[in-house]
Amino acid sequence: MSDQLRPRASLRTAVVWEVLKEALDRQVKAAGRDALDVLDTGGGTGNFAVPAARLGHRVTVVDPSPNALFALERRAAEAGVADRVRGVQGDILGLFDVVERGGFDAVLCHGVLEYVDEPAEGVRNAVAALRPSGALSLLAAGLGGAVLARALAGHFTEARHALTDPAGRWGEGDPVPRRFTAEQLSELVSGAGLEVGAVHGVRVFADLVPGVLVDTEPGAVDALLKLEAAVAELPAFHSVATQLHVLGEKRP
């Protein structure tokens, strides 16, 4: 895995990173340039920005947290890509206060839409930051995964509440303000003018398997990674994934 990810951490990022890397490779061929301009909104400490910079791309990270941006700067320096990673304080709803419109070949919007008041506006801003033929990588919390997790924990009333709540929340103590179905995310992407290239379920099993099994059973992490990759594109598993990933592509 890129960025020297720890085995447990790789379960959370492997599927998305492989899809993203393939999308960046396609953008390289389409643009005729080895280095792309990538925007990572809400990119925090650089879980995706630093690996993308290691591929040779120039990455701008927009995040509201000064602490996260400080950690990003340190991480990029340790990885030897400080000259290709730039951190800027801001958020997706005020995106064009800090970056230019139409200036990026790819935009990452991971773990952002759950926390903004206007998800549709956030997606429109992400799309407006793209150049012609650009790509959007959108990752957000999945409704079905939360329902399943609450039910398996024995919190059946909370599971039913999440299923019927407009924001997909299981109660007042829910730390996630909003969750989505695959259909809702796809509609946000297509409504902003992009073609939906692919939809993936992320962490279908990883959050349900006992940690002790993954950490102690020989070969368990590798086998679980392969299983996650195998089911990621199957629509039947999207409804139970902890997160959902949608790849949108801008046509000239």
Side-chain angles (χ1 to χ4, degrees), residues 85-109:
V85 176
R86 180 173 71 104
V88 181
Q89 190 172 0
D91 61 56
I92 197 164
L93 295 185
L95 189 60
F96 300 115
D97 293 335
V98 293
V99 301
E100 64 177 309
R101 291 178 181 269
F104 300 91
D105 301 291
V107 174
L108 282 56
C109 183

Side-chain angles (χ1 to χ4, degrees), residues 34-176:
D34 291 336
L36 303 175
D37 293 302
V38 178
L39 173 64
D40 190 352
T41 65
T45 61
N47 285 339
F48 289 92
V50 170
R54 278 179 165 163
L55 295 178
H57 305 307
R58 298 177 291 270
V59 187
T60 299
V61 176
V62 174
D63 196 278
S65 169
N67 290 337
L69 293 174
F70 177 77
L72 167 71
E73 183 178 356
R74 183 175 58 198
R75 186 175 188 174
E78 291 173 353
V81 293
D83 59 326
R84 294 196 291 274
V85 176
R86 180 173 71 104
V88 181
Q89 190 172 0
D91 61 56
I92 197 164
L93 295 185
L95 189 60
F96 300 115
D97 293 335
V98 293
V99 301
E100 64 177 309
R101 291 178 181 269
F104 300 91
D105 301 291
V107 174
L108 282 56
C109 183
H110 295 172
V112 172
L113 296 188
E114 299 94 318
Y115 301 97
V116 298
D117 293 332
E118 297 292 339
E121 182 182 347
V123 175
R124 287 194 296 269
N125 281 353
V127 172
L130 288 171
R131 290 173 177 149
S133 300
L136 170 67
S137 175
L138 184 64
L139 181 70
L143 170 62
V147 174
L148 182 61
R150 299 317 287 173
L152 290 178
H155 303 298
F156 306 122
T157 300
E158 291 179 350
R160 184 165 59 85
H161 188 278
L163 193 60
T164 57
D165 183 71
R169 304 184 77 228
W170 47 256
E172 290 298 322
D174 193 337
V176 179

Side-chain angles (χ1 to χ4, degrees), residues 28 32 52 55 146 149 160 172 182 205 216-217:
V28 164
L55 295 178
R160 184 165 59 85
E172 290 298 322
F205 303 109
T216 61
E217 188 71 21

Side-chain angles (χ1 to χ4, degrees), residues 215-242:
D215 294 335
T216 61
E217 188 71 21
V221 170
D222 206 40
L224 184 52
L225 281 170
K226 291 177 180 177
L227 177 60
E228 289 280 352
V231 302
E233 286 191 75
L234 300 178
F237 291 92
H238 294 168
S239 59
V240 295
T242 298

